[in-house]
Amino acid sequence: MNNDQLICKVEGTLIQVKSMAQIALDNTNYNLSGYEKPFINQSDMSNLLWAIIDLADHAFDVLQEYSLTEEITNDHW
């Protein structure tokens, strides 16, 4: 994977994380967000939070994998 592919992959994942986190925040602070009541029920909020964590972990794993690959490649030269 080259640098451009890595950046696109991680950036896309982080955009998803940001969007989902904003939804969770708006749901938690529904009054400040202009809603009369939460628009996501508690069990679905738990699932949303797990998805956010999974996506963030995935982005981190991609960076770690790339870092390890770069170390191995640089060690051979």
Side-chain angles (χ1 to χ4, degrees), residues 27-63:
N27 189 67
T28 302
N29 297 313
Y30 59 91
N31 282 333
L32 296 174
S33 299
Y35 300 101
E36 292 182 20
K37 61 181 183 173
F39 50 91
I40 301 173
N41 66 40
Q42 186 62 38
S43 62
D44 290 337
M45 269 297 285
S46 295
N47 292 334
L48 179 61
L49 293 173
W50 278 112
I52 291 168
I53 291 168
D54 286 346
L55 283 170
D57 281 343
H58 176 70
F60 183 74
D61 290 345
V62 168
L63 289 174

